[in-house]
Amino acid sequence: SKRERQVPARPRALARTAVEGGRVLLHHTRYGKHAGRVLARIEAFCGEDLNGLLLSAGLLCPYDGGERLSWCLPEG
């Protein structure tokens, strides 16, 4: 949907602000099972966990490998 194509701008902007052009560290990297996707824990060089930051901002949904919703972000 159009909304699904627009939503990535919000987490991308938050991540850019947290990193501020610095380095990031990737932990627990592995290939996902779809389309060559890479899964990882992302940490700003200052030590901030970007995954946790996106989760607490409501811009990321935890996924345990089970059935997922068609789109998990709230409206708005």
Side-chain angles (χ1 to χ4, degrees):
S1 76
K2 181 178 178 181
R3 180 175 176 275
E4 288 179 354
R5 290 188 301 273
Q6 293 172 336
V7 168
R10 293 167 49 203
R12 185 173 35 244
L14 182 60
R16 280 186 180 152
T17 299
V19 172
E20 296 182 24
R23 295 181 180 189
V24 296
L25 302 172
L26 301 177
H27 301 277
H28 308 293
T29 52
R30 65 188 190 282
Y31 285 108
K33 62 182 179 179
H34 301 291
R37 187 180 322 170
V38 175
L39 305 174
R41 300 287 305 174
I42 306 166
E43 182 182 320
F45 196 67
C46 66
E48 182 156 21
D49 174 23
L50 296 182
N51 301 71
L53 180 66
L54 292 168
L55 274 168
S56 65
L59 298 174
L60 189 72
C61 294
Y63 177 65
D64 64 2
E67 185 178 342
R68 73 174 179 88
L69 302 174
S70 64
W71 193 249
C72 62
L73 293 175
E75 293 294 327

